[in-house]
Amino acid sequence: MPLGEFDLIERYFRRAPSRRDVLLGVGDDAALLEVKPGRALVAATDTLVEGRHFLHRAPPSSIGHQALAVNLSDLAAMGAEPAWALLSLSLPQADERWLEGFAEGFFALADASGVALVGGDTVRGPLVVTVEVLGFVEPARALKRSGARPGDALYVSGSLGDSAAGLATLLRGGASAASDDPLVRRHLFAQPRLALGQALAGVATAGMDVSDGLLGDLHKLCAASGVAATLELDALPLSEALLTRHSPEECENFALHGGDDYELLFTLPSDSAFPGESGASGLPRLTRIGRITAGGSVRCTRGGTEVAVSGAGYDHFR
Ligand code: ADP
Ligand code: MG
């Protein structure tokens, strides 16, 4: 007998609540959640569509991971602490092997991030995964896109371009999705920068996550803040794995325009001595990649000279 909707939810998604602030989780008409006084609720949702956000042959565990990771990255980008998630699944069929892998990827990241799954919806249809995450931040410390000021230093975490290079490898058939190629792994299992986001709350003047390509996302940060930026192309942080496999031009292209890095892009007052800068305390490497200026555009420089760079970030409707 094929698995029914309620058995499916029961078997794969209903678990003993992992947080005490879940007064009522999966099983009733809605979840009942206890909100801490003095903290703002932070909410974000993202949808993944097969063929657009993940490949048809992507491992189910990576789809489960990614559906939650992209949402947690949005909370990281607000400086928030995640708490709860809702999961809406549209599935062509109740394939138990797929569900097992999906749930494994989803819950591994949920458990590592202190997130409880508290509800969702399950329907039959094309493969589409929507996750909503909820978390907390002290409202005055929230990391917004709009606070950058001329003179601020511009930083990015980790390394850029790996995920896009990993996707290119997969599309070329240059590696299987199961391979341990670090660039492919980075594409399939991006790690949201939750600890860094929380460390930047109340410290950075502005911040966002890099999901649609650095250049396009930097434009968005500048537009929200009403400022301009100078981006130093020589400073872009590139991983060893990327550098050994691609030419310098390809690396720069992946770093500027490639999506799905899920690093944090943020600004600090120029005199700030953010402790994470030294790479201490379990935070990722942070790299100063430019500065905020007055005006309304993004200039790129190489060796101190301005260069023209074309192309914007990813847009579903362009
Ligand atoms: P309703 O008809 O009230 O919308 P459903 O029958 O859709 O309720 O869901 C029953 C319960 O299972 C609800 O608590 C809902 O939040 C939960 N649920 C449904 N699908 C999922 C899922 N994929 N993951 C987690 N919880 C789910
Ligand atoms: Mg329902």
Side-chain angles (χ1 to χ4, degrees):
M1 253 246 303
L3 196 63
E5 177 187 333
F6 300 102
D7 300 327
L8 185 163
I9 297 166
E10 196 66 31
R11 187 166 315 167
Y12 295 104
F13 300 113
R14 181 171 178 159
R15 291 176 147 202
S18 56
R19 297 177 61 97
R20 287 169 56 184
D21 52 14
V22 180
L23 306 180
L24 196 58
V26 171
D28 211 305
D29 294 310
L32 210 53
L33 308 168
E34 189 171 28
V35 180
K36 293 176 191 160
R39 307 255 243 140
L41 196 58
V42 185
T45 186
D46 259 313
T47 295
L48 304 187
V49 177
E50 179 174 44
R52 181 149 295 268
H53 300 95
F54 56 89
L55 302 173
H56 176 65
R57 59 182 188 282
S61 62
S62 82
I63 302 169
H65 174 96
Q66 204 185 352
L68 183 58
V70 299
N71 279 283
L72 292 179
S73 181
D74 283 327
L75 288 206
M78 298 307 291
E81 173 199 328
W84 311 304
L86 293 116
L87 167 65
S88 293
L89 270 180
S90 166
L91 302 170
Q93 70 264 323
D95 174 340
E96 296 208 40
R97 272 190 58 191
W98 190 92
L99 281 160
E100 205 157 296
F102 177 91
E104 181 206 303
F106 184 95
F107 283 113
L109 181 59
D111 293 345
S113 313
V115 170
L117 180 64
V118 298
D121 200 21
T122 306
V123 299
R124 186 193 284 259
L127 184 53
V128 178
V129 185
T130 300
V131 171
E132 180 180 1
V133 287
L134 298 161
F136 310 106
V137 72
E138 262 177 65
R141 293 165 64 89
L143 203 56
K144 293 180 240 168
R145 295 181 180 185
S146 56
R149 294 163 308 196
D152 285 353
L154 180 67
Y155 281 85
V156 74
S157 62
S159 60
L160 295 169
D162 291 352
S163 178
L167 174 61
T169 302
L170 284 174
L171 289 172
R172 265 202 327 272
S176 83
S179 89
D180 54 10
D181 177 330
L183 302 177
V184 169
R185 297 285 307 170
R186 176 79 190 265
H187 176 71
L188 294 174
F189 294 97
Q191 293 300 323
R193 298 295 194 187
L194 286 163
L196 176 61
Q198 288 166 51
L200 291 171
V203 176
T205 48
M208 68 183 296
D209 66 330
V210 184
S211 54
D212 296 332
L214 175 70
L215 203 55
D217 286 338
L218 177 56
H219 272 284
K220 290 177 197 163
L221 187 141
C222 287
S225 294
V227 297
T230 301
L231 179 64
E232 294 158 20
L233 299 179
D234 311 296
L236 294 177
L238 306 172
S239 72
E240 276 307 308
L242 189 69
L243 285 164
T244 52
R245 297 254 295 274
H246 295 277
S247 70
E249 299 77 57
E250 283 174 335
C251 288
E252 186 177 291
N253 210 38
F254 281 130
L256 287 177
H257 307 295
D260 300 334
D261 282 319
Y262 302 107
E263 296 293 356
L264 294 184
L265 176 68
F266 57 95
T267 55
L268 293 176
S270 55
D271 56 357
S272 143
F274 182 64
E277 223 168 302
S278 54
S281 63
L283 296 180
R285 168 164 70 131
L286 306 178
T287 308
R288 183 173 173 151
I289 55 170
R291 65 196 157 83
I292 298 298
T293 61
S297 66
V298 175
R299 295 165 59 239
C300 294
T301 63
R302 192 181 286 117
T305 319
E306 185 164 349
V307 292
V309 173
S310 61
Y314 186 75
D315 181 325
H316 277 277
F317 295 99
R318 287 235 169 97

